[in-house]
Amino acid sequence: MTGADQGAGGGRGQAFPRPRGLAQPTTLFMVPTTPSQHSAAFLVGLALLALFVVGAVGAKTSVGNVPGLLPAYAVIVLITDLLTSFLIASQFMLSGQRALLWLVGGYAYSGVMAVLQVAALPGAFAPLDPDGALSQSALWLYVAWHMAFPIAVLGFAYLQRTVPPPVSPTARRPLALTAGLGAAVAAAITMVAVLYSMDRWLPHVTLVNTYNNALLVKIVYLVMLLLNFSTPAILATVTRVRTVGDLGLLISTVALALDTLLNGLGLARFTLGWFLARADGAIASSVVLLLLLAEMVSLYRRVHLMNGQLNTQRERLLGLTDDLERARRTAEEARQVAERANAAKSDFLANMSHEIRTPMNGVTGMAQILLDTPLTTQQRGYAEIIRDNADALLAVINDILDISKLEAGKVSLERIQFNLDELVDGVLAILGNKARDKGLEIGALVHDAAAGMWWGDPTRVRQVLLNLLGNAIKFTAKGAVSVDITLLGDGPALPEQTRLLRVTVQDTGIGIDPAQAGKLFQMFEQADSSITRRFGGTGLGLAISRQLVELMGGTIAVESTPGEGATFWFDIPLQRAVAPSSSVQPLGNRLRGRRALVVDDTPVNRLILVHHLMTCGMAVDEASGGPQARNHLLQAMAAAEAGAEGSGPPLPDVILVDHHMPELDGPALATWIRSEPRLAGVRLLLASSLEAPAGSRESLFDAVVPKPIRRPQLLEALAKACGLRSEMEVVPRPAPIVATGKGRILVVEDNVTNQTIASVLLEKAGYQVQIVEDGAQAVRACLQARFDLILMDVQMPVMDGIEATRRIRAVDDRVPPVPIIAMTANAMTGMREDYLAAGMDDYVSKPFKADRFLDTVARWLAARAPRPEGEPDGTALLLEPKVLARLERTVPPADFRALVEGIVNRGRGRLDAVLDLAGADAPDALREATRDLAVMADSCGLVLLARQSRRLADGLAADGPTTDIPALLRELADLGHRSWDALGQRFLGARVA
C-alpha cells in the first residue's frame, strides 16, 4: 500500500503538470505519467490477475502452516508502510498539501495494525483457546485493518478533487504532521485494546482454522469487500490517473482488494488462497514505496546533474563578476573623466562668459554713453545700430550660455512667492512695444482660479513665457497674440496645495507643419531652415524653454496648422501661496448691476475685457466693430423709447471702444455717441496702444485703458470714468528710487573699459567715485576711508572679489555694514547664491544696462541713507531685517512663521531671565545671561538691543568701567520689549504673546 502527496494536477479541470525542478517541491502527484509507465502498470495488473486466478482456483487447497511466515509478512508490511509514511511525511513538510496527511496516517495505521494483528493470532505467537477456537479479536482486527486503510485513501481522494489543493502554512506543518501520526497510532492501539477486551463476546469469524459461515460474518465480510473494490474505482474517477502517484496508488488499492477477496475464497487459514492473499497484501504495501524510492533516485540524479550545471554557472558567474567589476571600474574612471571634462567645460564657459561679456560691456556701455552726448542725426543712427546689434549679439550669447548651464546641471530652481498676474503683466509690458510696432494686438487672460500668489521660480516661468510670446510676435505678421492661463482640474487651489497650471500662447502667424513640429524643441533647429534667414534667431529659445519646463516638473507642446497660426502650451506644477494677489483692492459692489458694451474687432481683446468686467459683477454685451456697436445702440435706444422690456437690448452704462477698427474706428464711434442726446449719460473708455490726442481724451472719452489690457489699469480707468476713485482703496505703491547724487562709491574693477563706463555713469548721476584695480587695493582703500557703497568685480588678479568681500566684512564694524554689489560677467556658476554666501548684498551683470545699474546703486544707497529730522522710524532703529529677510525668501511661510514665533518667545524668555537675575546677588550669572541675550539679538538683527546688552555685560565685568547698572537695566528692559515687538510686527504682522 503506497502513497504520495497530491500535486497541482490532482484536481479536475486544472492545467497539469507543474514543471519538474528544484525551484518547487516535486512529488509523485506532480509528475505526469508516461506511456512506458502505463505499460508497466498494465503488466503489474496482469501479474496480480494471474496470481488471483491461481489463488482462486486452489483457494481451498490446504498448505499447512509455514513457520515464521506470518511474522515475516508482518515485518514486511510494517517496514514498507512505515517507510512509505515517512517519505510521504517528508513530502508533506515540503509541499504542505493536506491530502497527504490522510496517506501518512493511513500507512502508519496499516503498519502498526499489521504487527498487532499477527501478534494477536493464536497459532502464530499465542496458543489456541482451551476449546480449540482461535482468538476472535485478532480476526476482527484484520477486518478493522482492511476497512480503515481504504477509508484513508478515500479521504485523500476527497481532498485531491479540490482546485487548488489545500496547503498548510509552513509554521503549522510540524504540528499537523504530529497530530496526524498520533491519531493513526492511537486509533490502532485503541482498536486492539477494545477488540481484545471484547474477545469473548465477539461473533466467531473462524472455528479453529475454518471460517464461520454465519450470516453476520458474511455481511461484515461483504461490506469490507465492497469498500475495498469501490476504493480503486473512486480513486481512478477522481484523479483520472494523471500522475505517477495516482497510478501507483491505484495498483496498491487493486492489490488490497484482491487480497481481501482471496482471503475469503479460501474459507480457511493456511490454504493456497490465504497465502496468495498475503502476497497481494505485500505487493499492495510495496508498490508506492518502490515508486517513491525510484523518484528519490531520479531526484538525486537530477540534483547531481544540476549541481554540475550550477558549478558551471557559478564559474561563469564568477567570470561575469570579474568582467562586471572591470566594467564598473572602467565606468567609474569614465565617470570621473566625464566629471572632470564637465567641470572643465563649465570653467571654460564661465571664463568665456567673462571674456565675451567684458568687451561686450565696453561696446554696449560706450554706445549708451555716446547716445547721451550731443550727436548729429547720422551719428545717432550709427550709435543706435551699434547698440541694437550689441544687444542682439548679447541675446545669442545668453541663449548659448543658458543651454550650457542646463546641460551642465548648473541651473537650480528658486522657491519664492510671486504674483502670477504681475508676472504676466510684466511680460506684456516688455513685449508690448514690439507687438505694437508690428501692428499686432496682444493680450493676456489669467483666469480667476489661476490668479494670485504661487510658490515657484518666477524667473524661469517668465523666461519661458518671454520665449514663447517673443516667438509668437516674431512669426506673426498681422492679427493677434494672446496668453491664456488656466488651472487644470476642478475648483480653486487651496493654500499650500500643489496644482497644475496650463499656460497657452496662441498666435495668428505663419504656422508650423505638424511633421516638422518635433524639431522645434531641439537645439539649433527650426521647422524650416529658411526661417532662420527670414526671421533670424539661433533656434535655442524653444530648446531652453523645454529644458526649463521639464526642470520645473512640467511638459511643453505645440499644435499648429501651416498658415493658421500656432498654439504653444506648457503645464507646470506650482504650490498655492497665501499672500494677497492684487495691489488694487476690488471695487466691491460699486459696479455690480451696471451694464457695459465692449466694442473691439479682435476676439482676444473682447474675451479679456468681458472676463475682467464680469468679475466686477457687470453685465456685458459685445460688438465686433463700430457699425455693429452703432446698430446695437440704436436698437437699445428704440427699445428704451418704446418702453417695452425685452424688445431690444438695454442701454449700457459704460462703453469700452477699441481705438483702431475697420470701417468705423474708436474716435469716430465716440463722436457719434457724443452727438446722440439719448446717450449723454454713457461713460466712454478708449482701449488704445497709443495715447489718444489731447483734445479727444477730454471731449470724447472719460478715461483711456492702455494696451496690452491689464486688470489693474482697467479697474483704475473704470473708477475714474464712473467717479469711484474717491471710494476706491488703492494700496500705495513704493515710490520709484531716484538717485540723489550723494554718496561715495568704491569701484573695484581691473578692466579699463569697465572702469570708464562705471565711473562715467556714476559721476554723471552725481556720485563721488574712487577706482581700484584689484581686491587687495579695495581692502586697503576700505581701511583708509569710508565708502557708502562698493561695486566689486568678481574675477580679478592678485585678489578676487569674493575673497576681498570676506576681508572687508571682517574689518567693517559699521551698523548696518557697507553694501557690496558684485559686478560679474560669469553666467555659469550659481552667482546669486555664491555672492550672498561670500557676504555680498546684490549683483549686477555685465554688460551694464545703465538704468538697471543706476537703479540698483540708488536702491542700496537709499536703504543706508539717514531719515530726515522729524521722520524717525523706531522699527528701523531697533531692527535690521536683512538677516531674517534672506531666510524668509527661502523658507515656506508656515515654517518661517513658526520659526519667528519661536525666536520671539525665546528672546523674551532670555530678557525675562536677565531681569530676574538683576534682583539676585549673582553678577556672574547675570553677565552670562546678558551676553547670551546680546548674541541672540545680534543674530536676529536687533542692533540696539545687542549693543545695549553688551554695554551691560561690560559694566558687569570685574575690570569694566564704573557704570550705573540699574539705569542700564531699566534701558534694557524698555528696549528689549520694544525690540521683540518690532521683530514680531515686521515678520508676523502682529505682536507675539
Side-chain angles (χ1 to χ4, degrees):
M1 290 163 262
T2 138
D5 70 312
Q6 68 184 32
R12 294 181 182 178
Q14 185 177 0
F16 182 86
R18 279 194 292 193
R20 299 176 64 173
L22 295 178
Q24 295 177 335
T26 300
T27 67
L28 290 180
F29 288 87
M30 295 180 184
V31 181
T33 56
T34 63
S36 61
Q37 289 169 341
H38 281 285
S39 300
F42 180 73
L43 292 177
V44 172
L46 290 178
L48 287 174
L49 182 61
L51 192 64
F52 173 78
V53 170
V54 172
V57 171
K60 298 180 181 180
T61 304
S62 177
V63 176
N65 186 15
V66 179
L69 179 63
L70 288 178
Y73 168 70
V75 169
I76 291 172
V77 174
L78 174 67
I79 293 175
T80 55
D81 284 357
L82 289 184
L83 283 176
T84 303
S85 178
F86 171 77
L87 292 176
I88 296 175
S90 65
Q91 294 189 6
F92 167 76
M93 293 298 292
L94 288 175
S95 65
Q97 293 163 346
R98 296 174 187 172
L100 297 181
L101 288 176
W102 285 88
L103 294 181
V104 170
Y107 276 103
Y109 174 86
S110 175
V112 173
M113 289 294 291
V115 174
L116 293 177
Q117 191 267 339
V118 171
L121 275 175
F125 296 101
L128 293 175
D129 290 341
D131 58 359
L134 292 174
S135 171
Q136 302 306 313
S137 60
L139 300 175
W140 284 103
L141 284 174
Y142 175 86
V143 174
W145 171 19
H146 282 66
M147 291 181 69
F149 182 78
I151 292 174
V153 174
L154 291 176
F156 165 79
Y158 173 79
L159 288 182
Q160 189 76 336
R161 88 191 198 291
T162 60
V163 181
V167 176
S168 297
T170 304
R172 299 180 183 177
R173 293 176 191 176
L175 180 63
L177 183 61
T178 303
L181 287 171
V185 175
I189 295 174
T190 301
M191 185 67 67
V192 170
V194 170
L195 292 177
Y196 193 76
S197 63
M198 298 175 61
D199 181 71
R200 68 182 64 186
W201 296 290
L202 292 173
H204 284 208
V205 178
T206 62
L207 299 173
V208 188
N209 286 326
T210 303
Y211 292 158
N212 186 6
N213 287 323
L215 179 62
L216 178 61
V217 174
K218 290 181 178 179
I219 292 173
V220 171
Y221 208 84
L222 181 61
V223 170
M224 182 175 64
L225 283 175
L226 290 175
L227 180 62
N228 276 271
F229 274 94
S230 62
T231 296
I234 294 172
L235 183 65
T237 302
V238 170
T239 64
R240 297 184 183 179
V241 198
R242 291 170 174 161
T243 67
V244 175
D246 297 335
L247 187 62
L249 195 58
L250 180 64
I251 295 173
S252 299
T253 52
V254 169
L256 183 63
L258 294 178
D259 167 11
T260 307
L261 182 59
L262 279 176
N263 191 70
L265 291 176
L267 296 179
R269 298 173 69 231
F270 306 125
T271 63
L272 182 61
W274 188 84
F275 279 112
L276 292 181
R278 300 299 175 273
D280 282 338
I283 293 173
S285 66
S286 304
V287 171
V288 175
L289 175 62
L290 293 175
L291 289 175
L292 284 170
L293 292 176
E295 181 62 22
M296 289 183 63
V297 172
S298 174
L299 180 63
Y300 174 77
R301 189 185 309 113
R302 294 200 305 273
V303 169
H304 180 72
L305 178 63
M306 289 184 177
N307 280 338
Q309 295 175 351
L310 288 174
N311 287 332
T312 303
Q313 292 179 359
R314 184 177 64 84
E315 294 175 358
R316 290 180 58 193
L317 286 175
L318 289 175
L320 289 174
T321 302
D322 293 338
D323 294 340
L324 287 174
E325 180 62 23
R326 286 192 296 271
R328 188 193 64 79
R329 288 196 298 267
T330 303
E332 178 65 20
E333 293 171 357
R335 184 186 64 81
Q336 294 175 357
V337 171
E339 287 180 351
R340 288 194 295 269
N342 193 34
K345 172 186 174 183
S346 299
D347 292 340
F348 169 76
L349 288 170
N351 292 330
M352 287 304 298
S353 169
H354 186 271
E355 295 301 325
I356 294 173
R357 286 170 176 264
T358 297
M360 283 300 299
N361 186 47
V363 175
T364 58
M366 285 302 181
Q368 290 171 2
I369 293 172
L370 182 61
L371 287 169
D372 290 336
T373 62
L375 298 172
T376 66
T377 303
Q378 187 178 32
Q379 290 170 336
R380 182 169 299 277
Y382 293 159
E384 289 176 348
I385 291 173
I386 294 172
R387 181 196 61 192
D388 293 343
N389 281 276
D391 289 343
L393 178 58
L394 186 61
V396 174
I397 294 170
N398 287 337
D399 282 347
I400 295 174
L401 291 174
D402 278 341
I403 282 290
S404 302
K405 285 191 289 184
L406 287 165
E407 288 185 342
K410 296 292 184 179
V411 174
S412 58
L413 298 177
E414 289 185 317
R415 188 177 183 274
I416 60 177
Q417 290 191 54
F418 69 96
N419 189 305
L420 186 60
D421 310 67
E422 294 177 359
L423 184 147
V424 175
D425 286 347
V427 171
L428 293 182
I430 293 171
L431 298 176
N433 291 338
K434 187 176 180 182
R436 183 170 59 248
D437 292 343
K438 295 188 68 173
L440 301 177
E441 295 286 350
I442 181 172
L445 177 58
V446 182
H447 292 265
D448 292 340
M453 301 297 295
W454 296 88
W455 282 99
D457 190 334
T459 302
R460 300 306 176 186
V461 177
R462 183 184 297 108
Q463 184 175 354
V464 176
L465 189 54
L466 279 170
N467 268 332
L468 297 182
L469 203 54
N471 273 353
I473 295 172
K474 179 196 296 186
F475 297 114
T476 302
K478 62 179 180 178
V481 176
S482 64
V483 179
D484 186 85
I485 302 180
T486 58
L487 185 68
L488 297 184
D490 297 331
L494 300 176
E496 306 300 329
Q497 182 184 17
T498 300
R499 296 295 294 272
L500 202 61
L501 285 176
R502 169 158 293 186
V503 181
T504 304
V505 177
Q506 188 172 11
D507 63 63
T508 57
I510 61 176
I512 307 162
D513 187 346
Q516 297 175 327
K519 299 179 181 179
L520 289 177
F521 299 103
Q522 300 175 12
M523 289 186 293
F524 306 105
E525 289 285 353
Q526 290 185 333
D528 184 355
S529 59
S530 63
I531 289 177
T532 303
R533 295 188 179 92
R534 288 175 56 197
F535 296 96
T538 60
L540 290 175
L542 290 177
I544 294 171
S545 299
R546 177 182 62 83
Q547 295 194 42
L548 287 176
V549 169
E550 291 175 354
L551 187 64
M552 290 186 283
T555 56
I556 187 170
V558 60
E559 298 173 359
S560 179
T561 302
E564 298 181 7
T567 300
F568 285 83
W569 57 265
F570 64 94
D571 298 339
I572 51 171
L574 295 176
Q575 192 176 29
R576 172 63 84 179
V578 190
S581 64
S582 175
S583 62
V584 180
Q585 300 298 328
L587 291 173
N589 295 323
R590 303 296 184 183
L591 294 175
R592 185 171 299 279
R594 300 194 185 191
R595 181 168 292 274
L597 174 63
V598 175
V599 186
D600 199 312
D601 62 315
T602 304
V604 171
N605 289 342
R606 293 203 305 274
L607 175 65
I608 295 171
L609 285 169
V610 168
H611 172 80
H612 291 328
L613 294 174
M614 291 183 69
T615 58
C616 296
M618 300 182 72
V620 185
D621 295 318
E622 300 180 50
S624 59
Q628 291 81 0
R630 187 166 52 191
N631 293 336
H632 178 92
L633 293 172
L634 289 173
Q635 293 175 13
M637 288 186 290
E641 290 178 353
E645 294 185 4
S647 61
L651 286 171
D653 300 299
V654 180
I655 301 177
L656 285 91
V657 182
D658 186 25
H659 194 163
H660 297 288
M661 294 183 293
E663 298 185 40
L664 187 64
D665 63 11
L669 178 62
T671 301
W672 177 82
I673 292 173
R674 290 305 186 197
S675 66
E676 183 61 53
R678 291 170 292 181
L679 299 176
V682 174
R683 305 293 184 178
L684 278 176
L685 280 76
L686 177 68
S688 176
S689 57
L690 299 174
E691 288 288 337
S696 66
R697 288 190 57 180
E698 297 177 359
S699 60
L700 295 178
F701 299 100
D702 296 288
V704 176
V705 182
K707 287 186 177 182
I709 296 167
R710 290 176 280 177
R711 189 170 185 269
Q713 286 79 359
L714 175 61
L715 295 179
E716 186 176 354
L718 280 171
K720 178 183 177 183
C722 298
L724 302 177
R725 177 176 292 277
S726 60
E727 303 172 5
M728 183 177 176
E729 298 180 5
V730 180
V731 176
R733 298 179 182 272
I737 298 172
V738 180
T740 62
K742 297 178 181 179
R744 190 176 183 192
I745 299 176
L746 176 65
V747 176
V748 188
E749 173 64 65
D750 62 316
N751 184 274
V752 177
T753 303
N754 290 339
Q755 291 174 2
T756 304
I757 294 171
S759 62
V760 169
L761 292 175
L762 293 171
E763 288 173 352
K764 190 173 181 179
Y767 299 110
Q768 298 177 28
V769 180
Q770 180 176 336
I771 295 176
V772 296
E773 295 183 354
D774 57 56
Q777 294 181 18
V779 176
R780 288 195 295 271
C782 289
L783 292 174
Q784 296 169 1
R786 293 289 183 115
F787 297 94
D788 299 301
L789 185 136
I790 301 174
L791 292 166
M792 180 76 69
D793 188 23
V794 177
Q795 292 182 332
M796 295 181 292
V798 183
M799 182 185 295
D800 62 26
I802 293 179
E803 180 61 27
T805 299
R806 293 195 183 101
R807 297 196 182 188
I808 292 172
R809 290 294 186 221
V811 299
D812 185 17
D813 58 351
R814 286 176 291 176
V815 179
V818 59
I820 301 178
I821 300 175
M823 298 188 301
T824 178
N826 186 346
M828 279 305 296
T829 56
M831 297 178 295
R832 184 173 183 273
E833 294 76 11
D834 290 348
Y835 303 154
L836 292 179
M840 296 178 175
D841 299 282
D842 205 342
Y843 76 96
V844 291
S845 59
K846 300 176 185 176
F848 299 139
K849 292 289 186 182
D851 52 350
R852 296 182 185 176
F853 176 72
L854 293 175
D855 178 71
T856 303
V857 171
R859 175 160 46 85
W860 282 101
L861 286 175
R864 281 184 55 85
R867 291 182 175 267
E869 293 295 331
E871 295 183 13
D873 186 351
T875 301
L877 294 175
L878 294 174
L879 174 65
E880 170 52 56
K882 182 171 64 176
V883 177
L884 290 179
R886 290 179 180 174
L887 191 63
E888 186 180 21
R889 292 194 295 265
T890 59
V891 176
D895 296 342
F896 180 76
R897 184 176 183 85
L899 174 66
V900 174
E901 287 177 352
I903 289 174
V904 174
N905 290 329
R906 288 194 298 273
R908 287 204 175 109
R910 291 195 179 184
L911 177 63
D912 292 340
V914 170
L915 298 178
D916 291 340
L917 288 170
D921 187 15
D924 292 338
L926 177 59
R927 184 171 60 254
E928 290 302 321
T930 307
R931 286 177 177 167
D932 289 343
L933 179 61
V935 172
M936 185 173 185
D938 208 5
S939 66
C940 298
L942 298 174
V943 180
L944 294 182
L945 179 59
R947 186 184 304 165
Q948 185 71 10
S949 300
R950 290 193 186 92
R951 285 181 61 193
L952 179 58
D954 294 339
L956 291 169
D959 55 350
T962 303
T963 310
D964 186 359
I965 299 300
L968 289 177
L969 282 168
R970 287 192 297 271
E971 293 177 12
L972 182 68
D974 177 65
L975 183 62
H977 289 301
R978 288 192 295 114
S979 297
W980 294 118
D981 285 346
L983 183 63
Q985 290 170 0
R986 166 62 177 80
F987 291 104
L988 302 177
R991 181 176 176 179
V992 180

